[in-house]
Amino acid sequence: MEGTAVAFAPGHISGYFKRIDGDSPKTTGSCGAGIVIDRGVTASVTPSPKTSVIVTDRTPAGESLISYGSGLIEELLSGLGVCAKVETTSGLPIGAGFGMSAAAILATLTAANAVFELGMSAEAISELAHETEVAHNTGLGDVAAASSGGVAVRTAPGIFGVSSRFFPDAEICSVTFGSIFTPDVIGSPEKMAQVTAAFPVGEPATFTEFMMKSRQFAEASGLIPARIRPVLDACDEAGILASMTMLGCGVFAASDALEILSEFGTAVPLKVCPHGPTLLEV
Ligand SMILES: Nc1ncnc2c1ncn2[C@@H]1O[C@H](COP(=O)(O)OP(=O)(O)O)[C@@H](O)[C@H]1O
Ligand SMILES: CC(C)(COP(=O)(O)O)[C@@H](O)C(=O)O
């Protein structure tokens, strides 16, 4: 095996969710809804006698090396029975509720599948990515959503749980103040009980309905950090729909809220991504 394959997978902002436990990682996941976004992770995979991983982020706040090595990615490759030099580059901060872990897994698998000619279907890639996310407690519904584009509504756990997708031409904007360690939240029965009780009734059919349900959920979930309250208040005052990026210490707003969000930090304009993982180069 020679050469390098490069793939991109989109990130995902979860607006609301509830954990559903099945009898295996495949049937465990979440219901909810979120936006598949045009920033995500690019992974380059080059066959090599020994596996090595470099994790970088290239966000609007600048570029930085996050780590040498990633347990998640190393385990993934070893499960496939291959060794490679992998570089993942995240377009948004890791751990901040932008689904970067799911994007990293999907992008790495898509590139590895191409360069090693593994013959996995898109469905098999999503299945393995979902099981890996759930097994590591780094996400529940991000893989199902980010396996394709749009605003994804999930009514059952697992990769076949997406009941509808819609594709608004919306200007979205986000600001983040840091991470919330996802396993601490989705691994806590107390937190999950409050999250389940906060789950909104009915499914959104429009972007506005999605934003309203997301905010209603965030308020009732007990998850809103004090740090983001002034940002939500400023959006409310300006009549802009906004909510918390699940699960990160940040806010996403509908419409072009760049000016308002920039008062609080580095604001990032986003669009709804129309597609799932894509092979860029092989
Ligand atoms: N680009 C990446 N490359 C490799 N591993 C990643 C990447 N992004 C996230 N991860 C892994 O996922 C963990 C964070 O998961 P999580 O809090 O769910 O992040 P996010 O909210 O961005 O999905 C990190 O500690 C790291 O192990
Ligand atoms: C909210 C979350 C459980 C985690 O999202 P993230 O922190 O971005 O990995 C997500 O996977 C979902 O099920 O909706």
Side-chain angles (χ1 to χ4, degrees):
M1 298 294 157
E2 281 179 18
T4 297
V6 183
F8 168 82
H12 173 244
I13 299 176
S14 187
Y16 63 89
F17 71 101
K18 79 173 167 199
R19 184 180 179 115
I20 311 276
D21 281 294
D23 50 14
S24 68
K26 186 179 176 155
T27 53
T28 296
S30 63
C31 294
I35 313 167
V36 182
I37 48 177
D38 61 351
R39 280 178 175 266
V41 173
T42 302
S44 89
V45 177
T46 311
S48 163
K50 198 168 159 266
T51 289
S52 62
V53 185
I54 297 178
V55 180
T56 308
D57 70 12
R58 195 174 295 144
T59 72
E63 184 169 334
S64 56
L65 171 71
I66 304 296
S67 68
Y68 286 107
S70 158
L72 205 61
I73 304 295
E74 283 148 27
E75 210 181 296
L76 202 61
L77 293 184
S78 116
L80 294 173
V82 299
C83 293
K85 183 171 161 270
V86 178
E87 286 185 40
T88 67
T89 306
S90 307
L92 287 168
I94 290 173
F98 297 116
M100 292 295 111
S101 51
I105 298 168
L106 282 168
T108 302
L109 274 178
T110 302
N113 183 46
V115 78
F116 289 105
E117 297 175 7
L118 299 174
M120 294 173 82
S121 63
E123 194 180 296
I125 289 175
S126 295
E127 194 76 85
L128 179 56
H130 175 75
E131 289 178 27
T132 306
E133 270 268 277
V134 171
H136 287 83
N137 250 354
T138 48
L140 294 169
D142 295 317
V143 169
S147 291
S148 187
V151 175
V153 182
R154 294 171 286 108
T155 50
I159 64 157
F160 302 111
V162 176
S163 58
S164 67
R165 292 184 191 266
F166 48 93
F167 297 83
D169 182 26
E171 303 287 338
I172 301 153
C173 194
S174 186
V175 67
T176 188
F177 307 110
S179 62
I180 290 181
F181 190 54
T182 301
D184 280 352
V185 179
I186 63 179
S188 155
E190 297 76 34
K191 288 190 173 133
M192 285 302 95
Q194 195 173 353
V195 158
T196 302
F199 196 78
V201 177
E203 285 151 36
T206 64
F207 191 54
T208 299
E209 279 175 21
F210 161 74
M211 290 300 302
M212 291 176 77
K213 284 184 191 297
S214 296
R215 179 62 180 275
Q216 185 196 326
F217 167 81
E219 294 293 342
S221 70
L223 294 172
I224 297 183
R227 182 75 175 82
I228 71 166
R229 182 55 69 186
V231 189
L232 292 174
D233 288 346
C235 290
D236 291 349
E237 231 165 81
I240 289 171
L241 292 169
S243 192
M244 171 185 166
T245 54
M246 297 287 163
L247 280 162
C249 187
V251 168
F252 68 103
S255 85
D256 181 5
L258 215 50
E259 211 172 304
I260 293 174
L261 297 194
S262 294
E263 285 171 27
F264 299 92
T266 307
V268 189
L270 297 166
K271 295 289 277 180
V272 175
C273 186
H275 57 74
T278 322
L279 193 59
L280 301 177
E281 237 178 87
V282 66

